[in-house]
Amino acid sequence: MYLAATFLSSGSELLLEILGPGLIGGLFLPILGALPDAMLILVSGLSGTAATAQEQVSVGMGLLAGSTVMLLTVIWGSCVLVGKRDLQDSVAVDKVDTKGFSPTGSGVTVDDWTKYAAWIMAISVIPFIIVQVPQFMSSTSGRHLAVLIALIVSLALLVSYCLYQVFQPWIQKRKLDYVSRKQVIFGFLRHVKRRALGKLFTGDGEVNKEAIEKLFRTIDEDNDDFISATELKALIVGINFEEIDLDEDDAVKKIMEDFDTDTDSKLDLEEFVNGITRWLKKAIRSGDASSARNFGTMKLLDDAHLQTKREHAQLAMGDQNGEVAEGVDIPKWTSLKAVLLLVLGTLIAAAFADPLVDAVDNFSDATGIPTFFISFIALPLATNSSEAVSAIIFASRKNKITSSLTFSELYGAATMNNVLCLAVFLALVYVRELTWDFTAEVLVILIVCIVMGLFASFRTTFPLWTSSIAFLLYPFSLALVYVLDYVVGLS
């Protein structure tokens, strides 16, 4: 299931790059991201007789609750830890992390759009409240009707959310903007290489900081130990940025935003060296590390620049005008690879969902551990691993744009759990006439989603201490279900 989730995630990203946001980013990506969870929930309620399904459906509920809780607690808190930067006037300074693990002195800042994603996530719990109304009123006659109403509402919310994503594809566009920045900076590095007074890499493959310092002295024409925007513009004259519709002023702005960590609109020696070093290392990671050793730095940078050029050309295909950058061939293999990854991920999820549910059920019988707790803890590790790794990688870049994208994706994944996966679960309960008896589990989902949703809806800066709230919610959720189910006997 982890492999299936990874294939679906990789295929979705490729499809997004080829076809752009719109329907792909707004409709297919959120659904594909929730597909492994939905598949497991579906097979948990289709197995055998109604009595067997009633027993195994707790696996689906455990996965649904565990997936949502893990996204908003463990992964959310980890992203705050990994993405923390120094706080100055209650705002995190991009790429500056000097205060260590200061509870109030470091944290993350996101944009206002991310608050809206948190609001949507909090609203998406409405179907859970509807289906629990007869439980709270101790009514047995209206339970089947409440399941049907909750199913209709969850489907309506799913359609509304997808339409919102299609017509307001701001989450996906923030992803695509990053490619433009890569295109600018790799083009800038190629130009820097031609001007550098020495090799950019030493004989052992390390970045040659002495050569970068010499280049800094050359660019700093007024010898004030800073590179201004004007001096930087003089350096990049002649670089062609037309293919990504940028003039030299826009390119200078993007480079300054990336390199200027103290936001004083000029680059000191340390910022210049750190910026060049960081992007040279990214060039190595994006291509063949042996290129710098065997064919020279220019070959490495040419390969990295060509790769981002192709990425940008693929993204341009999703624009309304349909124009593609000249001189760049879109490899057909990329389109085929995207489709193959999606098909393969779907087939793996479909083939192994039922055996996995049986394995959880059998393990529960052998150990005496309730199936809910096994699926709550173990299954999200498989189905959410790719989302977790992606979120933490984005958070580690330590700037407002990537932090906003990280937390928006977490809220979006929780929203899809609350509408799509719940809709599948409710459909099973209604069609197979199963008993809805998951009060404790629903309370856990409601508490975590509402607490984190409201918490994230009214602020854009999260100091480091906020991660402790998220981390503590995870063991609290497990303990609450145990007490309500096995001590109080609520379910």
Side-chain angles (χ1 to χ4, degrees):
M1 293 306 293
Y2 167 73
L3 194 62
T6 303
F7 284 160
L8 287 168
S9 176
S10 301
S12 299
E13 293 295 330
L14 283 175
L15 205 61
L16 176 64
E17 290 178 356
I18 296 168
L19 299 178
L23 286 173
I24 300 299
L27 184 60
F28 291 111
L29 254 65
I31 292 175
L32 287 170
L35 185 62
D37 287 1
M39 202 81 74
L40 279 167
I41 291 169
L42 182 64
V43 301
S44 71
L46 289 178
S47 304
T49 64
T52 303
Q54 186 70 54
E55 291 179 5
Q56 290 198 345
V57 80
S58 62
V59 176
M61 176 51 76
L63 172 63
L64 178 58
S67 179
T68 301
V69 170
M70 180 174 284
L71 285 168
L72 298 178
T73 59
V74 176
I75 299 176
W76 193 96
S78 298
C79 289
V80 174
L81 279 177
V82 171
K84 68 180 179 65
R85 291 104 66 195
D86 292 354
L87 294 181
Q88 184 176 337
D89 297 327
S90 299
V91 176
V93 181
D94 286 357
K95 300 183 182 67
V96 178
D97 185 17
T98 61
K99 296 182 180 179
F101 292 93
S102 171
T104 57
S106 62
V108 298
T109 295
V110 298
D111 58 23
D112 287 333
W113 286 106
T114 308
K115 291 198 301 184
Y116 305 150
W119 267 112
I120 293 171
M121 187 263 295
I123 292 170
S124 69
V125 301
I126 291 175
F128 284 106
I129 298 174
I130 294 172
V131 78
Q132 280 299 129
V133 169
Q135 312 288 102
F136 294 141
M137 298 175 64
S138 300
S139 170
T140 56
S141 58
R143 292 187 179 184
H144 201 56
L145 178 61
V147 170
L148 178 61
I149 295 172
L151 173 59
I152 294 170
V153 172
S154 62
L155 289 174
L157 288 174
L158 173 62
V159 172
S160 301
Y161 180 70
C162 290
L163 288 175
Y164 173 75
Q165 289 286 71
V166 169
F167 294 110
Q168 296 287 340
W170 43 272
I171 296 177
Q172 290 76 24
K173 285 195 173 183
R174 283 187 292 192
K175 275 186 185 178
L176 307 185
D177 288 341
Y178 184 66
V179 177
S180 294
R181 179 174 295 193
K182 285 203 302 182
Q183 174 79 337
V184 168
I185 293 182
F186 280 137
F188 170 67
L189 287 181
R190 292 167 72 231
H191 195 67
V192 162
K193 167 57 184 168
R194 297 190 183 98
R195 294 284 301 272
L197 304 176
K199 294 182 178 181
L200 293 180
F201 287 98
T202 61
D204 56 1
E206 294 297 319
V207 176
N208 186 356
K209 295 186 178 182
E210 291 185 4
I212 300 174
E213 291 176 7
K214 289 179 182 177
L215 177 64
F216 178 89
R217 304 299 177 195
T218 304
I219 302 169
D220 180 22
E221 295 179 352
D222 56 7
N223 297 318
D224 63 349
D225 294 327
F226 291 100
I227 295 177
S228 64
T230 303
E231 290 170 330
L232 187 60
K233 183 177 179 180
L235 172 67
I236 68 173
V237 168
I239 305 179
N240 180 18
F241 294 115
E242 292 179 2
E243 59 205 13
I244 51 176
D245 195 25
L246 281 179
D247 58 22
E248 290 166 353
D249 291 328
D250 292 329
V252 168
K253 182 180 178 182
K254 282 187 178 293
I255 296 169
M256 275 290 188
E257 286 176 351
D258 197 271
F259 283 34
D260 183 19
T261 55
D262 59 6
T263 63
D264 61 353
S265 300
K266 54 187 178 181
L267 304 180
D268 59 29
L269 177 60
E270 183 180 1
E271 289 173 331
F272 186 75
V273 171
N274 289 343
I276 297 291
T277 301
R278 177 160 38 87
W279 281 94
L280 284 174
K281 290 180 178 178
K282 286 185 181 183
I284 292 176
R285 288 196 299 268
S286 68
D288 182 3
S290 64
S291 291
R293 294 191 300 269
N294 299 333
F295 303 105
T297 308
M298 204 64 204
K299 175 68 167 61
L300 174 70
L301 295 176
D302 283 344
D303 289 345
H305 186 253
L306 180 60
Q307 181 179 330
T308 52
K309 198 174 181 181
R310 283 175 176 164
E311 285 180 33
H312 194 274
Q314 290 164 356
L315 300 183
M317 292 182 69
D319 292 341
Q320 291 181 351
N321 57 20
E323 294 178 1
V324 182
E326 294 181 6
V328 181
D329 296 325
I330 307 301
K332 293 181 180 179
W333 167 241
T334 304
S335 304
L336 181 61
K337 183 180 178 181
V339 174
L340 287 174
L341 285 170
L342 292 174
V343 171
L344 191 58
T346 304
L347 290 176
I348 292 174
F352 289 94
D354 191 40
L356 182 55
V357 171
D358 289 338
V360 171
D361 205 33
N362 293 335
F363 185 76
S364 173
D365 291 338
T367 60
I369 301 173
T371 55
F372 172 84
F373 291 103
I374 299 171
S375 53
F376 184 96
I377 297 170
L379 295 189
L381 294 175
T383 57
N384 288 331
S385 292
S386 57
E387 289 173 342
V389 171
S390 173
I392 291 172
I393 288 174
F394 269 105
S396 67
R397 292 172 182 163
K398 296 183 181 295
N399 63 67
K400 184 178 180 180
I401 295 174
T402 53
S403 293
S404 301
L405 176 59
T406 296
F407 289 99
S408 294
E409 287 189 327
L410 293 181
Y411 303 142
T415 301
M416 290 305 292
N417 284 345
N418 292 342
V419 291
L420 174 60
C421 295
L422 178 62
V424 172
F425 195 88
L426 291 170
L428 283 171
V429 172
Y430 184 79
V431 171
R432 302 215 63 182
E433 297 185 350
L434 304 177
T435 302
W436 181 271
D437 198 15
F438 304 105
T439 301
E441 294 83 347
V442 168
L443 279 175
V444 165
I445 296 173
L446 288 176
I447 290 171
V448 172
C449 285
I450 291 174
V451 168
M452 296 303 294
L454 293 178
F455 188 57
S457 299
F458 294 102
R459 61 191 307 159
T460 55
T461 296
F462 302 97
L464 190 60
W465 64 263
T466 59
S467 64
S468 61
I469 296 177
F471 286 130
L472 288 173
L473 275 174
Y474 188 78
F476 168 79
S477 302
L478 278 172
L480 181 62
V481 172
Y482 180 81
V483 170
L484 292 178
D485 272 351
Y486 300 99
V487 177
V488 179
L490 189 61
S491 294

